[in-house]
Amino acid sequence: MNLHCASLAATISSVCSINEATHKSRTLQKRVNSDAPIKLSTEFLSHDSLEPTTKPCFCGRRHFIEAATLGTTLFPIQPSRATNPPREYTALLKKFHPPRPDWYEEFYASVMNSATKDYEAEVAMYKSQIFGNLKGKGLRILEIGIGTGPNLCYYASGSGVEVVGIDPNPKMEKYARSSAASAGLPTSNFEFIQAVGEAIPLSDASVDAVVGTLVLCSVKDVDMTLKVRRVLRPGGLYVFVEHVAAKDGTFLKFMQRVLDPLQQTLADGCHLSRETGNDISRAGFSSVELNTAFLSSATFINPHAYGIAYK
């Protein structure tokens, strides 16, 4: 993400039970985007935890953007293969991510594909540290808020990796597929699902790792999203990079509080002052390795918390 907070420039922004057959090949099984009927857990649909515990915001990985010029990629942008999610899950999508106009989602996806290069260049050092724990290990990985797929180059190379990427904006899929191809991930090993982090449509203990970068700043319910540990297998990893609130009493924290309402409006709901590192630490993981960093390209959207949580 290219996060130029100072300029406040233009921005655009348990569970679905699914029977998974034993993998006899590396071809991923279709779930939400298949024609087969999908059963939703009645416990998930009726549980009181569906009520949000934090102020609604829906920007996902969406932050301040200065540039909106379209770039080119080595691999051609592939058309979306997603179909409409089943009616039961559509209700959950609307609850946690109210529908946007089609033109808005298309425009925003194109902007996110071309306007985040400076940020990605600066954060690469930190991503390399944590994603090194995933690369080359033949894992099945879920990425929440995958967006245009900027993280795939760190962990998705080779035929031994399977990736499921979820994002509420279906227009992200063609860019994410292009990023997957650029990373060297076979087409059959990548699946895109239109979904939200609060209601992940995967079975319990179904993935080896979960990736989330710049997601918790803007989901509607942080605590529900952090229940992502449900889909992790024993010993699984949650790898994260999030911007968090500055320390109390600092000028940066003061500015975050002043700018937060405007940030939420201009950045499609993103919060500047969430204590996301604390949320991750108390989310029920067996242990959490958490580090902090300041990024010059992020201005008031600092510091960043990055690390690994273990199930």
Side-chain angles (χ1 to χ4, degrees):
M1 308 295 118
N2 191 2
L3 313 180
H4 294 276
C5 178
S7 63
L8 294 179
T11 64
I12 310 269
S13 22
S14 110
V15 171
C16 191
S17 300
I18 298 168
N19 296 324
E20 295 184 342
T22 302
H23 285 261
K24 295 183 179 180
S25 69
R26 285 298 182 183
T27 301
L28 288 176
Q29 176 185 7
K30 293 297 179 184
R31 286 179 291 276
V32 169
N33 297 327
S34 72
D35 295 328
I38 295 177
K39 296 180 181 180
L40 294 179
S41 167
T42 55
E43 178 183 0
F44 177 73
L45 292 175
S46 62
H47 200 280
D48 291 339
S49 66
L50 280 177
E51 292 302 319
T53 58
T54 57
K55 185 176 179 180
C57 64
F58 311 102
C59 69
R61 295 154 53 88
R62 329 309 185 211
H63 300 285
F64 294 106
I65 301 168
E66 280 190 341
T69 55
L70 293 178
T72 59
T73 58
L74 178 62
F75 290 82
I77 301 302
Q78 303 177 27
S80 172
R81 301 180 182 181
T83 57
N84 292 329
R87 182 173 58 184
E88 295 89 346
Y89 195 82
T90 298
L92 292 177
L93 276 174
K94 291 181 179 179
K95 179 181 180 67
F96 293 108
H97 188 83
R100 274 84 164 144
D102 189 71
W103 68 263
Y104 175 93
E105 294 195 328
E106 182 66 63
F107 174 72
Y108 187 76
S110 69
V111 169
M112 295 303 296
N113 188 56
S114 58
T116 62
K117 293 180 175 59
D118 289 346
Y119 173 81
E120 289 298 335
E122 187 173 5
V123 78
M125 170 174 63
Y126 306 107
K127 286 187 176 183
S128 295
Q129 293 176 21
I130 56 177
F131 287 132
N133 292 274
L134 306 180
K135 195 169 183 178
K137 296 184 179 179
L139 303 177
R140 188 162 187 256
I141 300 172
L142 165 69
E143 180 161 354
I144 55 175
I146 192 169
T148 60
N151 297 321
L152 291 169
C153 62
Y154 294 97
Y155 67 82
S157 61
S159 60
V161 180
E162 296 178 352
V163 178
V164 178
I166 67 172
D167 199 284
N169 183 352
K171 305 300 183 181
M172 296 289 186
E173 181 183 3
K174 57 188 175 184
Y175 300 106
R177 287 193 177 278
S178 179
S179 295
S182 180
L185 184 69
T187 302
S188 61
N189 287 25
F190 179 71
E191 181 177 6
F192 182 98
I193 302 176
Q194 184 185 5
V196 291
E198 294 92 338
I200 296 172
L202 297 181
S203 300
D204 293 359
S206 59
V207 300
D208 301 293
V210 175
V211 171
T213 63
L214 303 184
V215 176
L216 299 180
C217 57
S218 54
V219 295
K220 189 172 184 179
D221 193 308
V222 174
D223 292 336
M224 284 190 68
T225 303
L226 283 172
K227 291 180 181 179
V228 68
R229 66 186 183 280
R230 173 190 64 80
V231 303
L232 283 170
R233 293 167 180 155
L237 311 177
Y238 169 47
V239 182
F240 60 88
V241 178
E242 300 287 348
H243 69 80
V244 299
K247 290 183 179 180
D248 289 336
T250 63
F251 176 74
L252 179 56
K253 182 61 174 288
F254 170 77
M255 291 303 300
Q256 288 175 340
R257 288 174 174 168
V258 170
L259 296 172
D260 208 10
L262 185 59
Q263 163 78 344
Q264 293 175 45
T265 299
L266 296 181
D268 205 8
C270 176
H271 291 66
L272 287 174
S273 55
R274 281 186 172 175
E275 302 286 349
T276 309
N278 294 337
D279 293 332
I280 295 173
S281 296
R282 62 170 180 253
F285 293 98
S286 61
S287 64
V288 177
E289 297 175 359
L290 191 150
N291 305 284
T292 58
F294 280 78
L295 304 180
S296 61
S297 60
T299 319
F300 293 118
I301 306 180
N302 270 306
H304 277 51
Y306 67 99
I308 302 174
Y310 299 85
K311 180 176 180 178

